[in-house]
Amino acid sequence: MFFYAWFILILPLLGFIGLSLLGDKIPKKQAGYAGCLTVGLSFLVTLTVLGQLLGLAPEKRLGHVETLYQWVSSGSFKLDLAILIDPLSVFMFLIVTGVGFLIHVYSLEYMKDDPEYSRFFAYLNLFIFSMLLLVAAADFFFLIVGWAFVGLASYLLIGFWKEKTSAVLAARKAFVMNVIGDVGMVIAALMIFQNFNSLSYMDVFSAAPDQFRTNDDTMLMITLLLLVGAFAKSAQIPLHTWLPDAMEGPTPVSALIHAATMVTAGVYLVARCHVLYELAPYTMYFIAGIGAITAIFAGTMGMVQYDIKRVIAYSTMSQLGYMFLAVGIGVFSFGMFHLMTHAFFKALLFLSAGSVIHGMNGEQDIRKMGGLRFAMPLTHITFLVGAVCLAGVPLTSGFFSKEAIIMSSWHAEMGNFVFWGMAVLAAGMTGFYIFRVYFYTFIGKSRSPETHPHESPFIMAAPLLILAFLSLVMGFSAHWVDQFLGPVFGATAHHYEDATLETIAVLAGLGGILTAGVVYMTSQDKLEFAKQALAPVYDLLFNKYYIDEIYDFLIVKPVRAIGAFFEQKVEKEGVDFVVDEVGLQVREISRGISFWQSGNVRTYALSMLVGMVTILFFVVFL
Amino acid sequence: MLTLIVFIPLIAALALLFVAKDNRELIRAVSISAAGLSFLLSLGLLLTFDKSNPGMQFESAVAWVPLLNIQFHVGVDGISLLLLVLTTFLSAIAILYSLKQKKELRNFLALMLALEAGTLGVFVALDTILFYAFWELMLVPTYFLIGLWGEGRRIYATTKFVLFTLVGSLLMLVAIIGITVAHFKATGTLTFDIQTLVHTHIDPASQLWMFLCFFLAFAIKVPVFPFHSWLPHTYVACPIPTLIILTGAMSKTGAYGFLRFCLPLFPEAVAELGHIIATFAAIGIVYGAWIAVAQKDLKALVAYSSISHLGFITLGIFALNNIGVEGSVLQMVNHGIIAAALFLIVGILEERTGTRNLKDFRGLGKSMPILYGTFMLVTLAALGLPGLNGFVGEFLILMGVWTSPLLSNLAVIFVLMAGLAIVFASIYMLYMFQGSMQETNPNDPKDLKDIDRNEFALLLPACVLIVFIGLFPKPFLDRVSPSVSSILTVEKTVNVHIGEDEGHH
Amino acid sequence: MGHQFVLIISATIFCIGTAGFLIRKNPLIMLMSVELMLNSVNFLLVGYSSFLKTLDGQIFALIIMTVAAAEVVVGLAIILTIFRTRHELNVDHINVLKG
């Protein structure tokens, strides 16, 4: 029925293959258009699927598995290459292809001076395909395949400027961190297969509730191992260190992969496996806890950074924390809703930041910007829209989605005061750090007068405007999203009304903005004084809690040391030594024995004679 | 047909000895056509193979030593078929690659062809003595190939390799005779036929020593930790074309031996020692990977990564269930393709830049975009990226280990160790790829040329297979599956009562 | 008579050959001693062949003679080469293979 949905995946794949094989043969411009076209068509197909799905009764929208071919059949292990069409996957399709398309269009202009233009679009297409595979997979195996492919695409795009050492290192770091997550997921898949004898979502999810008690050990293990993957991909503590470094990639990449789509895969995973997670409430608390901690933790780091992209990267981590908080306390559709609104306004922020960087000729340090609201009025507006959405100013999309989560963190069955408090605190920080960037960048006077910032051309501005529009209005679709996703999660989430809490949360966000304003207005001397007073804290935050250094000390260095130890001691002086020694000892013994080998023929003859006689003697007389 | 496939390279090798040394054209023509013909014929087998039949196909038997009932008996099942095609494929590539060889081209190619014939023979032999003969036939050409055309400490390496392997294979010969004697005692007929012998029940004590003899021979060839110490020396000293056959095909003969001999002949010994062997395999996986992280020499890096990957294969075999063993067989093919491609790339890089040391490489990707793409694909397959072939094998192996009744308690530890190795694999593979191809290096030779059409043609089939097996492993596994089942469920019909009398408890 | 005669003659010749091989230092003489030993065996074979009325022994003797001839050829060649390089022929001095 939805077999044509395969085209959603196949089109970007064709784009990737075509562009990577013929990239240098077709003109630059056409290559870019081709890259956009495949994603655009893919988006159109998604809309068709959406239309058809909406035509069905809500309970019939689930579980449409479309098989391409049987992938493997080995012993009791059978697996089809199949995609699953249901509201959740189509919802993700819409975000991935929709936002993806806008970012492709934006890149047409942003990357136009890059010599490897077509390679960039090939990689972007690969990413879109991988992400679609991830969300479309109908079983855990292809989920892992998609999971690893987005990791690959992210790796390729972070390291796109492959001549830059920092980019190469950042790419490797991201890849290795993600492989750690992949291994966790592979083990989870093994456990799932052992217990359910299948990897298909349909089989697993239908069998799980009957097979396992709540908080069964096995279920806890499976859910926790899946979480390793989810946390690695979504940059949650303690697997988060790659995300800020990932900003080495081109800005559209940061917008698409490291803000709007890929990093939210962890949230999608938890939502997709909600049946399993509901059987493991302990894991859910764990998710919510980590989510809330990451939200605050990332927020604190974001407050002191000066690189415009890094601040937004930390805010992404922080917002992902919100999403995990939401799915952790069991309000899956709110988590998905925040995922959607976040995709819009965070892509908007990144693209606006990209526009700023573009206009400033590659400058990323906000201390060197300022007063850009005159030079780049359009970007100014779009960035401001993104910022207010992120800060959760009432009636913007961020407000609706974040409010729903904060409210549930208190009122939902699994919610409590602590989660709520942390969520509100994080909301306050959000307002602060994003407006800190805003004030630094757009308000006041230019701090580096020698550069002449310019507004970006229309082709870059158009996606910004569309995203700004979506960021502002999509908040009102909350109810629709909840209804649409309801069948997947078994029930629609309950929306809690609590005027007091709502006010507190909004005030927290506004308070953050206000503080940012106050700090910005304060004179430089006083600011320096405050910095001095708070030096230990400031240094701790500015150096990202020294986590990179701690990992380096605890993991990287020992791994290298043990590797060297293995090579030198165990291999050369151990195994190899023993083997060589056996040979040498044999030689030594032979040297002793070779005394008998006098080299004298007549001695040999005599020994032969003696031997013969002895043998004869034995044969004849004994 | 099989006989033809095995003997074409051998005859060509002999024929080359009668060609004048400086007649390079003729030498090339003879060796290419021999390798190519045997590859095409093996492809023909692949197409006409009946995948529903778990037994041997294309069998043919000729009396060889009638007095002892030794036969020239050859045949393939699903497992040996894949390895046979892999060997002819890699040999064709290796021989094409070695055409540029300057020194003693004729002798080099003759030995390469002999090596190919030996390896092919091992995969098709169905008579233990014949198997042994081919097993040794593999060794002799390798000795000269490394000793004469190698580099570095080549004499040391080749001596070590040969002595190591000989220790194992001579013990294997003892066990081969032991089995036949056991069978003779039970039935009164003398036979060296594998298919007959597997049905013999051997008493557990004898099983143990015979198993250990066989195991040692195969474990050294694979190699399984801690019998691996010949490998780094040999690989570093070995000329690249030989290395392709050595790592791609010859290392698989050990794993194939486990499947053809150890599992069906000595089920009780395997059940008793399986978890110990699996432990060594798992240690090897981590150990190889860990050392690979610290390597600077590209050849050594790939060599240690091979130890790690071959550990996977051994681990899967001793999981003793369909998924694990099928995964292992597939992984043998995968590793053959990937390692061969990696060594080809190392060879190409060395040819261009005159070094193999990662410290001296930087930023080659700029001047070699095609190699950049190919290298990346191979790297990703080697580090087990899901969706490419390496992962399919690893996943099946891990799944087999996880669900293996034999390894039940240790399975978790093994899988975690394997997981660690996969993480390491991503580190050292990226280190190798990024270290050589990315960033910039002002010292790079300015006139670096990208790989030409011929070199690309050598790498292309490997790349296609890497993607194809990753996307669609079913046709491969379908051919292996019935044979694996029949190996895992061999019925012991001969001499059962003795085993029961003397069996413990 | 008969059996004993053949045996005694053969044994005597064999002992002479052995003694010659052990005592003499000239490889040429040693080679001749070896021939003597071989011929003693030939004598035995032929003798018994005629006693037992079968041809086996004689055929064997022929084979031994053939082999001995071949052996002498190789042996002489070696001795010649050794003499050419060393200009002397004392087996006690030819001990390069000393371990």
Side-chain angles (χ1 to χ4, degrees):
Chain A
M1 172 169 202
F2 288 105
F3 194 76
Y4 65 92
W6 271 104
F7 280 105
I8 302 174
L9 280 79
I10 290 170
L11 284 164
L13 181 64
L14 285 179
F16 164 64
I17 296 172
L19 285 176
S20 48
L21 291 183
L22 307 170
D24 43 355
K25 304 225 168 40
I26 48 179
K28 224 168 144 178
K29 217 169 185 175
Q30 271 71 357
Y33 289 151
C36 296
L37 184 70
T38 55
V39 183
L41 285 175
S42 188
F43 180 64
L44 292 181
V45 180
T46 309
L47 285 180
T48 325
V49 173
L50 177 71
Q52 201 183 348
L53 204 62
L54 287 176
L56 297 172
E59 64 277 5
K60 289 211 173 125
R61 292 177 191 165
L62 298 175
H64 296 282
V65 175
E66 299 298 338
T67 305
L68 199 59
Y69 55 81
Q70 189 178 38
W71 185 74
V72 75
S73 140
S74 158
S76 56
F77 176 51
K78 289 192 174 46
L79 197 62
D80 292 338
L81 177 53
I83 54 174
L84 173 67
I85 301 295
D86 69 355
L88 184 56
S89 58
V90 172
F91 181 74
M92 292 299 289
F93 285 166
L94 283 173
I95 298 174
V96 174
T97 53
V99 176
F101 176 67
L102 292 176
I103 294 174
H104 271 72
V105 172
Y106 177 90
S107 311
L108 282 177
E109 177 66 26
Y110 189 85
M111 297 298 288
K112 75 168 189 292
D113 297 328
D114 200 282
E116 300 195 82
Y117 192 69
S118 64
R119 190 164 66 93
F120 182 77
F121 279 94
Y123 287 171
L124 276 188
N125 270 228
L126 172 68
F127 170 75
I128 296 285
F129 162 73
S130 318
M131 191 67 201
L132 290 170
L133 179 65
L134 192 162
V135 294
D139 54 68
F140 284 96
F141 185 85
F142 283 100
L143 173 76
I144 295 174
V145 171
W147 204 263
F149 266 42
V150 288
L152 168 67
S154 150
Y155 162 81
L156 292 172
L157 285 163
I158 295 172
F160 180 72
W161 286 315
K162 60 179 190 284
E163 274 86 37
K164 212 163 94 184
T165 306
S166 58
V168 170
L169 293 180
R172 181 151 76 217
K173 189 173 180 182
F175 194 89
V176 172
M177 282 254 178
N178 277 308
V179 167
I180 295 174
D182 294 351
V183 169
M185 291 190 62
V186 167
I187 298 177
L190 297 180
M191 287 188 77
I192 288 169
F193 179 74
Q194 189 191 18
N195 286 294
F196 299 101
N197 209 20
S198 168
L199 283 179
S200 148
Y201 289 155
M202 288 296 144
D203 300 343
V204 174
F205 294 157
S206 60
D210 303 328
Q211 210 171 331
F212 287 102
R213 287 176 292 112
T214 308
N215 279 333
D216 189 282
D217 287 347
T218 316
M219 206 31 95
L220 287 177
M221 274 315 292
I222 292 176
T223 48
L224 284 173
L225 283 167
L226 283 175
L227 267 195
V228 177
F231 282 178
K233 193 70 59 187
S234 296
Q236 298 295 292
I237 297 169
L239 297 172
H240 64 278
T241 57
W242 65 270
L243 185 59
D245 291 5
M247 298 303 133
E248 291 291 341
T251 307
V253 172
S254 310
L256 177 60
I257 301 186
H258 305 113
T261 53
M262 183 187 85
V263 287
T264 60
V267 182
Y268 164 79
L269 175 70
V270 178
R272 172 59 82 195
C273 301
H274 68 100
V275 179
L276 304 183
Y277 282 94
E278 278 161 356
L279 284 169
Y282 292 161
T283 316
M284 301 263 285
Y285 276 118
F286 180 70
I287 299 175
I290 292 284
I293 293 171
T294 309
I296 292 188
F297 178 80
T300 53
M301 290 189 283
M303 291 197 295
V304 297
Q305 302 298 324
Y306 287 111
D307 184 322
I308 184 167
K309 283 177 73 182
R310 280 187 186 238
V311 175
I312 307 179
Y314 282 113
S315 100
T316 306
M317 263 172 77
S318 178
Q319 298 304 309
L320 287 166
Y322 270 110
M323 294 175 214
F324 274 106
L325 176 63
V327 293
I329 53 177
V331 285
F332 298 104
S333 69
F334 289 164
M336 296 310 289
F337 180 53
H338 192 52
L339 189 158
M340 179 186 84
T341 57
H342 174 257
F344 293 142
F345 64 69
K346 191 51 66 68
L348 174 63
L349 277 174
F350 260 120
L351 295 186
S352 305
S355 174
V356 168
I357 297 167
H358 195 68
M360 298 285 292
N361 299 327
E363 184 55 61
Q364 300 196 6
D365 192 330
I366 51 173
R367 282 171 296 192
K368 297 188 182 146
M369 299 172 182
L372 288 179
R373 68 179 185 282
F374 302 115
M376 311 176 78
L378 191 72
T379 309
H380 168 232
I381 300 290
T382 55
F383 191 93
L384 186 60
V385 169
V388 294
C389 289
L390 177 63
V393 171
L395 298 182
T396 59
S397 62
F399 164 76
F400 288 106
S401 59
K402 210 189 282 184
E403 222 52 20
I405 294 172
I406 294 177
M407 219 50 69
S408 313
S409 66
W410 176 296
H411 281 293
E413 208 177 317
M414 297 177 70
N416 57 38
F417 173 73
V418 181
F419 288 159
W420 178 80
M422 290 165 99
V424 170
L425 186 59
M429 290 179 189
T430 312
F432 176 78
Y433 59 66
I434 195 63
F435 272 89
R436 173 172 166 270
V437 172
Y438 169 75
F439 288 135
Y440 260 107
T441 313
F442 292 100
I443 309 297
K445 285 197 205 79
S446 175
R447 290 187 195 78
S448 44
E450 68 277 8
T451 53
H452 298 286
H454 52 86
E455 182 57 276
S456 303
F458 173 73
I459 197 158
M460 271 167 84
L464 289 179
L465 290 173
I466 296 173
L467 280 171
F469 174 73
L470 288 172
S471 302
L472 284 175
V473 303
M474 283 312 273
F476 296 99
S477 71
H479 184 66
W480 181 85
V481 168
D482 197 21
Q483 289 294 327
F484 183 61
L485 293 178
V488 179
F489 300 126
T492 52
H494 185 265
H495 201 279
Y496 304 95
E497 304 287 343
D498 189 328
T500 330
L501 296 186
E502 211 159 323
T503 321
I504 296 177
V506 170
L507 286 181
L510 293 177
I513 299 175
L514 207 63
T515 322
V518 170
V519 169
Y520 180 75
M521 299 296 178
T522 325
S523 69
Q524 205 61 37
D525 307 343
K526 284 186 186 159
L527 220 51
E528 274 308 311
F529 177 72
K531 243 186 224 176
Q532 293 298 327
L534 293 172
V537 181
Y538 183 82
D539 283 346
L540 185 68
L541 295 184
F542 190 75
N543 290 302
K544 307 162 232 162
Y545 294 92
Y546 295 101
I547 287 185
D548 274 330
E549 287 78 4
I550 293 171
Y551 281 178
D552 188 54
F553 182 73
L554 284 185
I555 298 169
V556 180
K557 289 227 171 79
V559 164
R560 285 200 185 285
I562 293 173
F565 170 80
F566 272 159
E567 195 196 359
Q568 199 53 41
K569 298 290 172 193
V570 183
E571 183 75 3
K572 292 226 170 82
E573 294 174 20
V575 182
D576 216 16
F577 178 75
V578 170
V579 172
D580 281 357
E581 206 55 21
V582 169
L584 288 177
Q585 290 309 324
V586 168
R587 188 175 286 181
E588 281 305 308
I589 295 168
S590 323
R591 199 159 285 154
I593 295 173
S594 71
F595 160 75
W596 300 100
Q597 200 76 9
S598 65
N600 194 330
V601 182
R602 295 193 308 145
T603 319
Y604 295 165
L606 190 60
S607 343
M608 255 168 80
L609 188 69
V610 174
M612 290 284 280
V613 170
T614 321
I615 290 168
L616 272 178
F617 179 80
F618 273 97
V619 171
V620 177
F621 295 105
L622 293 175
Chain B
M1 188 77 159
L2 281 174
T3 322
L4 211 57
I5 293 177
V6 176
F7 275 92
I8 287 174
L10 199 58
I11 292 166
L14 292 176
L16 278 183
L17 297 180
F18 297 102
V19 178
K21 267 189 177 183
D22 43 3
N23 194 350
R24 292 175 76 92
E25 285 311 310
L26 188 58
I27 293 169
R28 282 183 187 148
V30 170
S31 40
I32 292 174
S33 47
L37 197 57
S38 118
F39 174 55
L40 289 179
L41 287 176
S42 69
L43 274 188
L45 288 191
L46 193 64
L47 294 177
T48 47
F49 185 82
D50 172 18
K51 65 180 176 187
S52 57
N53 176 0
M56 292 293 165
Q57 302 183 29
F58 311 109
E59 272 186 272
S60 68
V62 185
W64 187 17
V65 184
L67 185 65
L68 295 172
N69 196 14
I70 298 174
Q71 289 184 312
F72 188 90
H73 186 184
V74 291
V76 285
D77 65 355
I79 301 169
S80 34
L81 177 76
L82 285 192
L83 295 172
L84 182 83
V85 179
L86 176 73
T87 309
T88 52
F89 167 67
L90 292 178
S91 304
I93 287 187
I95 282 169
L96 282 174
Y97 182 67
S98 52
L99 294 180
K100 283 187 275 185
Q101 184 87 27
K102 294 270 183 309
K103 180 180 156 193
E104 297 265 0
L105 180 71
R106 184 192 73 173
N107 297 352
F108 186 81
L109 285 176
L111 286 169
M112 288 287 285
L113 287 167
L115 175 59
E116 180 188 358
T119 317
L120 291 173
V122 166
F123 288 132
V124 299
L126 289 182
D127 183 283
T128 48
I129 297 293
L130 186 65
F131 178 85
Y132 181 77
F134 280 124
W135 186 267
E136 297 297 350
L137 178 59
M138 282 192 303
L139 194 57
V140 179
T142 322
Y143 177 74
F144 291 109
L145 283 168
I146 301 171
L148 295 176
W149 285 271
E151 52 177 305
R153 301 169 71 192
R154 55 177 201 244
I155 303 295
Y156 170 77
T158 191
T159 313
K160 193 165 193 171
F161 170 65
V162 168
L163 285 184
F164 235 115
T165 321
L166 265 183
V167 170
S169 61
L170 291 174
L171 286 174
M172 177 169 82
L173 182 60
V174 175
I176 284 176
I177 295 167
I179 298 168
T180 302
V181 170
H183 183 79
F184 182 73
K185 275 187 189 157
T187 60
T189 49
L190 197 60
T191 177
F192 288 91
D193 192 84
I194 297 172
Q195 285 161 297
T196 320
L197 290 174
V198 289
H199 296 296
T200 316
H201 186 280
I202 306 167
D203 68 281
S206 312
Q207 273 200 23
L208 208 58
W209 74 259
M210 287 180 192
F211 171 74
L212 285 176
C213 289
F214 270 107
F215 174 75
L216 196 65
F218 300 143
I220 288 172
K221 205 73 160 194
V222 171
V224 179
F225 177 88
F227 304 111
H228 64 272
S229 76
W230 60 267
L231 185 140
H233 300 289
T234 309
Y235 277 24
V236 171
C238 195
I240 295 280
T242 314
L243 200 44
I244 291 171
I245 301 188
L246 205 65
T247 185
M250 202 212 266
S251 68
K252 308 302 174 294
T253 57
Y256 172 76
F258 287 142
L259 285 173
R260 181 66 71 225
F261 290 89
C262 291
L263 262 44
L265 280 169
F266 319 111
E268 282 155 38
V270 169
E272 204 168 317
L273 296 176
H275 56 279
I276 299 177
I277 296 166
T279 310
F280 278 120
I283 293 175
I285 294 175
V286 176
Y287 183 78
W290 212 320
I291 294 186
V293 172
Q295 293 306 311
K296 292 271 181 271
D297 182 336
L298 289 184
K299 257 185 177 177
L301 196 151
V302 183
Y304 280 108
S305 85
S306 282
I307 293 178
S308 177
H309 286 134
L310 293 163
F312 266 103
I313 293 171
T314 315
L315 186 61
I317 291 175
F318 284 93
L320 278 189
N321 53 13
N322 283 53
I323 305 182
V325 176
E326 284 171 31
S328 281
V329 176
L330 190 66
Q331 192 66 354
M332 287 187 216
V333 178
N334 292 340
H335 176 257
I337 296 167
I338 295 169
L342 276 177
F343 278 126
L344 262 181
I345 291 170
V346 172
I348 291 171
L349 285 179
E350 194 181 4
E351 213 172 274
R352 296 277 195 285
T353 59
T355 173
R356 280 199 319 261
N357 198 319
L358 267 180
K359 279 181 194 154
D360 306 334
F361 284 134
R362 276 284 174 279
L364 298 179
K366 204 175 176 66
S367 41
M368 311 170 95
I370 299 176
L371 184 66
Y372 181 85
T374 327
F375 195 4
M376 183 157 74
L377 182 69
V378 179
T379 306
L380 293 172
L383 61 79
L385 184 84
L388 299 179
N389 64 351
F391 181 72
V392 183
E394 279 172 15
F395 189 78
L396 289 175
I397 289 170
L398 291 184
M399 193 169 252
V401 172
W402 192 272
T403 53
S404 164
L406 180 69
L407 307 176
S408 56
N409 297 323
L410 296 164
V412 180
I413 303 171
F414 292 160
V415 170
L416 285 178
M417 286 167 87
L420 185 64
I422 294 176
V423 175
F424 282 153
S426 68
I427 297 174
Y428 62 71
M429 277 298 158
L430 289 184
Y431 186 57
M432 170 172 171
F433 169 68
Q434 295 186 321
S436 52
M437 304 307 281
Q438 299 190 336
E439 298 178 48
T440 46
N441 181 9
N443 304 329
D444 266 347
K446 291 283 168 280
D447 53 345
L448 267 184
K449 282 207 187 70
D450 202 351
I451 49 175
D452 58 33
R453 198 175 293 252
N454 295 336
E455 286 163 327
F456 185 64
L458 287 180
L459 285 167
L460 186 66
C463 295
V464 170
L465 280 172
I466 282 171
V467 175
F468 182 76
I469 299 180
L471 288 179
F472 196 32
K474 194 171 184 305
F476 296 85
L477 288 172
D478 279 351
R479 282 169 175 72
V480 175
S481 209
S483 309
V484 169
S485 302
S486 76
I487 280 183
L488 290 174
T489 55
V490 166
E491 280 179 39
K492 298 290 179 187
T493 49
V494 180
N495 197 20
V496 173
H497 56 283
I498 292 179
E500 280 168 355
D501 290 348
E502 295 177 0
H504 38 198
H505 318 308
Chain C
M1 223 12 221
H3 292 264
Q4 286 85 348
F5 173 75
V6 172
L7 278 173
I8 290 167
I9 295 287
S10 167
T12 317
I13 299 175
F14 191 87
C15 287
I16 294 171
T18 314
F21 189 81
L22 286 175
I23 293 164
R24 299 304 296 262
K25 292 183 180 177
N26 189 326
L28 219 55
I29 309 283
M30 288 167 78
L31 207 59
M32 285 158 72
S33 304
V34 172
E35 291 304 314
L36 218 50
M37 284 190 267
L38 286 172
N39 280 330
S40 78
V41 176
N42 278 349
F43 184 71
L44 199 63
L45 284 169
V46 175
Y48 269 91
S49 162
S50 85
F51 282 125
L52 298 174
K53 307 285 182 231
T54 58
L55 282 176
D56 292 3
Q58 298 191 29
I59 292 169
F60 243 106
L62 279 175
I63 293 175
I64 290 178
M65 282 162 72
T66 323
V67 173
E71 190 190 307
V72 165
V73 170
V74 178
L76 277 177
I78 292 172
I79 290 168
L80 209 65
T81 328
I82 291 174
F83 185 75
R84 268 192 201 152
T85 49
R86 296 174 149 249
H87 305 294
E88 60 149 358
L89 271 181
N90 185 338
V91 275
D92 285 358
H93 297 167
I94 306 171
N95 60 352
V96 187
L97 282 179
K98 182 172 164 49

